[in-house]
Each structure stands twice: as C-alpha cells, then as structure tokens.
Amino acid sequence: MKYFSLKIKEQYKGVEKVFCDYFNIYGGFLSLISSPYLHLALFLSIISFGLWSTDGWWDLPLSILPSLISFTLAGYAMLTALGNDQFRAKMARTIPPHQESVFMQVSASFAHFIIVQTIGLLLALISKAHFFRSIYLHTGILEQNFLKSEVFISIHGFFSWFSYFVFLYSCVLIIPCAFSIFRATRWFNYFMQQDISSSLKQNNDNPQP
C-alpha cells in the first residue's frame, strides 16, 4: 500500500513537472491573457449568447473538436519531421544561452493548442451529461429555496459560457497553428537557400579543372 501511494505521488509529480515546463516555455500566464486569439475567442463567445444559452450547444464542439485535434497532431508531427538533421539541430540551438530553443518554443505552442482543444472537448462532454441539471433533480434545490436555485442557475450559465468560450478558443487556435507551420517551412526555406548559396560559392571558388 505504501509503494502504491508513493507511485501515485510520483506520477502526479511527473505530470506537474511536464505541465510546468510546457507552460513556462509557452510564456506563462502573461502570454496567455495577452494573446489576441484569446481576446477574439472572448469576443465571439459574448456575441454567441444565443448558442451557449440553449441546450444542445455541446453537439457543435463534439462534432468539430476531434477533427481539430487530429489536424493539430498532424501539424505537430510534420514539424518534428521537417527538414534534415542539420536543420533540426539549428532549430534546437539555444541562442542566447539559457533561452529556450526555437524548436521548444514552437513545440510548446503546439502542446498548448492540443491541451486547450482537449479541455474544450471534455467540457462539452460534461455539459452533455447534464451535470448541473442532475444536481437540480437529485437535490430538489429548485423546490427548496429560490435563492439557492438562482445561484445554481447562475453557475450553470457560467459553466455553459466558459465551456463554449474554450471551444471557440480551440477553433481560433487553428490560426496560430497554421502560422507555426508556415514559419517552420519559411525557416527551412531560408536554411535551404543558405545551403545552396554556400554550395554555389564553394563551386565558384574551386572551379573544376
């Protein structure tokens, strides 16, 4: 039993460390709240009141998010396989010292995309399970106390809005995901041009007899 509890503690510490590493490389809470994509998702969630305020809104993220997660994972795989060993070595170089490499920064961005999309999918599943409505039915709060029922209705409304906001944020994150792939291909294009220029210069300096 002691070994089992230690193993659980070790697993949770491992998850916490990986999450902290990703979040710190991503830029932390400041990068999150200052993101224009987060602001766009917030604006879209406010003007989409007619969707998330009615039952059945969860079918939309449940039908869209799995495809988005697949697209993001495919982009992540493309990034790790892009170019040759020399190009990946340049991306993994830390300049200046103690600063995360370009490869790790882009990797943290993709991890952020996938985590947000997965959270959005889970929130939609919880909403479809009628979690708060089950509380109403099993506790009888609606019949017992009007004030308490108003509190629960407010919590339910906030949860619906927040879940739909995360879903919209997941959709908006496809834009920086596409930009990340574009930047990576542009870096590789620049690397290849430099390599070609070096080869041509070397051939000009050492002409064949």
Side-chain angles (χ1 to χ4, degrees):
M1 190 65 183
K2 184 178 180 181
Y3 173 78
F4 181 69
S5 61
L6 289 175
K7 191 66 177 178
I8 292 178
K9 187 176 181 180
E10 179 184 346
Q11 294 282 355
Y12 274 83
K13 280 189 175 180
V15 173
E16 179 185 4
K17 184 180 185 306
V18 172
F19 181 84
C20 290
D21 289 343
Y22 129 74
F23 197 63
N24 289 332
I25 296 173
Y26 176 74
F29 188 71
L30 183 60
S31 294
L32 178 64
I33 62 174
S34 61
S35 170
Y37 304 107
L38 185 75
H39 303 160
L40 177 59
L42 180 61
F43 172 74
L44 293 175
S45 68
I46 294 173
I47 66 175
S48 301
F49 174 80
L51 283 174
W52 57 262
S53 61
T54 57
D55 287 346
W57 65 264
W58 41 77
D59 291 331
L60 190 61
L62 288 177
S63 62
I64 293 177
L65 284 178
S67 299
L68 291 185
I69 295 173
S70 299
F71 171 79
T72 308
L73 286 171
Y76 202 176
M78 173 186 170
L79 174 69
T80 56
L82 182 66
N84 51 28
D85 291 339
Q86 289 181 332
F87 173 70
R88 287 190 285 270
K90 283 184 177 292
M91 287 187 66
R93 186 182 303 169
T94 55
I95 302 175
H98 310 298
Q99 181 178 340
E100 294 297 336
S101 65
V102 172
F103 181 80
M104 287 306 302
Q105 292 176 15
V106 177
S107 180
S109 297
F110 270 93
H112 180 69
F113 305 154
I114 295 169
I115 289 172
V116 172
Q117 290 165 358
T118 304
I119 292 174
L121 183 62
L122 293 175
L123 290 175
L125 286 171
I126 295 173
S127 299
K128 189 170 184 177
H130 298 292
F131 174 71
F132 289 98
R133 185 173 298 174
S134 298
I135 294 178
Y136 297 159
L137 295 175
H138 288 87
T139 60
I141 285 178
L142 289 177
E143 291 79 14
Q144 291 175 5
N145 189 293
F146 175 77
L147 179 60
K148 289 183 178 180
S149 67
E150 287 296 311
V151 171
F152 268 82
I153 290 172
S154 299
I155 294 174
H156 179 237
F158 175 80
F159 183 82
S160 297
W161 165 79
F162 180 76
S163 301
Y164 197 79
F165 160 69
V166 175
F167 161 64
L168 290 175
Y169 185 39
S170 303
C171 295
V172 171
L173 283 179
I174 290 298
I175 300 174
C177 178
F179 284 164
S180 295
I181 297 174
F182 172 74
R183 280 196 297 267
T185 54
R186 188 173 61 179
W187 294 332
F188 182 62
N189 180 70
Y190 176 78
F191 173 79
M192 292 301 296
Q193 287 179 347
Q194 293 295 110
D195 192 43
I196 293 172
S197 298
S198 299
S199 298
L200 290 175
K201 183 178 180 181
Q202 186 176 5
N203 291 335
N204 293 330
D205 293 339
N206 301 290
Q208 294 295 328

